[in-house]
Amino acid sequence: LTIIDNVKIYDLKKNILIKSEKAVYYKNLNIFKTFGETYLNIEDRYIINSKDLTYNRNKMLVTSLEDTVVNDDIDNVYNFEDGFKFELDKEIISAKRTNVIDSFNNSYLFDNSKTNLITKEIIGKEVTINFVDDLFGDEDNDPKLKGKSVISNENFTKIYKSVFSTCNTENKKCRDWEFQSEIFNHDKKEKIFEYKNSWLKMWDKRVAYIPYFNHPDPTVKRKSGFLTPSWTNSEILGRWIHVPYFKVLSKDKDMTFNPRI
């Protein structure tokens, strides 16, 4: 059955609406194929905008070889490049390349990913996270995090073989500094960035090994912890170093302890 011009397909049993300019239904295979721009509404939970889409009703499978955007009912936006496969029963999407933009306008790129829309978990390879330039307080920065593989859900984002830096590479052969870690973990509940088995590189040279390191993520405004140390030299008093510690006492009270060694 070939349908053309302002096509609307209602799958009442599965609660799916399909809109397209042209569609073909293969009755023996129980498959719909659309041509051109295609819109899907799945149970009023997922909105899919794609092209040249195939909907297999027997296998409950939606596929396309074109770029696709999926919006869920809690305002998450998933961009799938070079095609996708949506297993409707499991609510799992597989794609060659996935681009997710969060509410802070940070961009997450994954290769060969699987996205579980129920648990909001993404598993992928060759991840690149492009943070907004002023996320760490300086518009001239270019904060970026890369890794070989990633597992991300609502509680954490864990990246293996990661490289992180805020330095831009404009007019430079390499970044001024970068942090190479065996495991990077973003604890979303505690709002902490954690780095395990890391090397600090400066001008492409390893200068320090750090078994474990953490700091608050950029969404944290106030958190107890050590501040940046400083040192001073005086002909009378000699050399000393300040190691300030900031303590949050309540929502509107805090204290800074600044010993001089």
Side-chain angles (χ1 to χ4, degrees), residues 126-261:
E126 302 300 335
V127 59
T128 299
I129 303 176
N130 292 299
F131 299 101
V132 293
D133 289 348
D134 61 352
L135 186 63
F136 295 91
D138 189 345
E139 293 183 354
D140 294 328
N141 281 344
D142 182 21
K144 185 174 293 186
L145 177 64
K146 291 185 176 183
K148 289 295 183 182
S149 60
V150 60
I151 300 175
S152 180
N153 56 37
E154 293 179 326
N155 297 320
F156 66 86
T157 295
K158 189 169 290 187
I159 300 175
Y160 298 88
K161 305 295 183 182
S162 69
V163 178
F164 171 72
S165 181
T166 61
C167 296
N168 64 53
T169 55
E170 187 176 356
N171 300 322
K172 300 177 184 176
K173 292 183 178 180
C174 62
R175 294 179 183 267
D176 295 348
W177 69 270
E178 65 181 27
F179 215 56
Q180 296 182 344
S181 303
E182 185 176 321
I183 300 175
F184 164 85
N185 181 52
H186 179 198
D187 189 325
K188 298 177 182 178
K189 289 187 175 181
E190 297 296 329
K191 297 184 178 181
I192 290 177
F193 282 177
E194 297 178 302
Y195 308 84
K196 298 180 181 179
N197 296 329
S198 305
W199 279 96
L200 173 63
K201 293 183 68 176
M202 300 187 70
W203 295 283
D204 214 26
K205 302 292 183 181
R206 287 183 172 184
V207 296
Y209 171 76
I210 304 173
Y212 178 81
F213 175 71
N214 74 60
H215 63 83
D217 73 22
T219 64
V220 176
K221 302 300 180 183
R222 298 167 70 246
K223 188 176 179 66
S224 298
F226 287 101
L227 303 178
T228 305
S230 62
W231 68 277
T232 309
N233 186 35
S234 168
E235 293 182 357
I236 299 174
L237 300 176
R239 297 177 181 177
W240 66 85
I241 184 170
H242 291 285
V243 187
Y245 184 85
F246 178 78
K247 176 65 177 177
V248 176
L249 302 176
S250 65
K251 290 184 178 180
D252 59 352
K253 293 181 179 64
D254 56 61
M255 178 183 70
T256 300
F257 179 62
N258 192 12
R260 177 186 296 179
I261 302 172

Side-chain angles (χ1 to χ4, degrees), residues 6-235:
N6 194 26
V7 178
K8 295 182 181 179
I9 302 168
Y10 298 92
D11 188 339
L12 300 180
K13 185 176 181 181
K14 306 297 184 181
N15 193 14
I16 294 176
L17 167 64
I18 303 175
K19 295 181 182 180
S20 184
E21 289 304 307
K22 178 181 178 180
V24 176
Y25 176 54
Y26 300 89
K27 183 177 180 180
N28 292 339
L29 300 175
N30 203 11
I31 290 176
F32 283 98
K33 285 190 176 182
T34 67
F35 299 87
E37 301 284 346
T38 303
Y39 166 93
L40 266 78
N41 185 326
I42 302 173
E43 300 178 345
D44 290 326
R45 296 177 58 205
Y46 305 114
I47 303 298
I48 299 177
N49 288 281
S50 186
K51 293 180 181 179
D52 302 339
L53 186 143
T54 299
Y55 169 37
N56 189 319
R57 297 184 75 238
N58 291 337
K59 295 182 178 180
M60 288 301 292
L61 189 65
V62 175
T63 60
S64 174
L65 297 177
E66 303 295 331
D67 294 351
T68 301
V69 178
V70 177
N71 298 70
D72 66 14
D73 53 359
I74 56 174
D75 298 326
N76 289 316
V77 180
Y78 304 89
N79 297 279
F80 301 103
E81 301 177 12
D82 302 326
F84 80 113
K85 180 175 71 173
F86 191 174
E87 300 173 69
L88 298 179
D89 288 341
K90 298 178 181 179
E91 298 187 39
I92 293 177
I93 297 179
S94 303
K96 293 180 179 179
R97 285 183 59 81
T98 302
N99 180 12
V100 179
I101 301 175
D102 66 14
S103 57
F104 298 100
N105 209 31
N106 301 311
S107 173
Y108 300 76
L109 299 171
F110 308 89
D111 285 349
N112 300 321
S113 68
K114 284 187 178 292
T115 304
N116 189 317
L117 297 178
I118 299 175
T119 63
K120 310 304 178 188
E121 182 172 86
I122 299 177
I123 300 174
K125 297 181 179 180
E126 302 300 335
V127 59
T128 299
I129 303 176
N130 292 299
F131 299 101
V132 293
D133 289 348
D134 61 352
L135 186 63
F136 295 91
D138 189 345
E139 293 183 354
D140 294 328
N141 281 344
D142 182 21
K144 185 174 293 186
L145 177 64
K146 291 185 176 183
K148 289 295 183 182
S149 60
V150 60
I151 300 175
S152 180
N153 56 37
E154 293 179 326
N155 297 320
F156 66 86
T157 295
K158 189 169 290 187
I159 300 175
Y160 298 88
K161 305 295 183 182
S162 69
V163 178
F164 171 72
S165 181
T166 61
C167 296
N168 64 53
T169 55
E170 187 176 356
N171 300 322
K172 300 177 184 176
K173 292 183 178 180
C174 62
R175 294 179 183 267
D176 295 348
W177 69 270
E178 65 181 27
F179 215 56
Q180 296 182 344
S181 303
E182 185 176 321
I183 300 175
F184 164 85
N185 181 52
H186 179 198
D187 189 325
K188 298 177 182 178
K189 289 187 175 181
E190 297 296 329
K191 297 184 178 181
I192 290 177
F193 282 177
E194 297 178 302
Y195 308 84
K196 298 180 181 179
N197 296 329
S198 305
W199 279 96
L200 173 63
K201 293 183 68 176
M202 300 187 70
W203 295 283
D204 214 26
K205 302 292 183 181
R206 287 183 172 184
V207 296
Y209 171 76
I210 304 173
Y212 178 81
F213 175 71
N214 74 60
H215 63 83
D217 73 22
T219 64
V220 176
K221 302 300 180 183
R222 298 167 70 246
K223 188 176 179 66
S224 298
F226 287 101
L227 303 178
T228 305
S230 62
W231 68 277
T232 309
N233 186 35
S234 168
E235 293 182 357

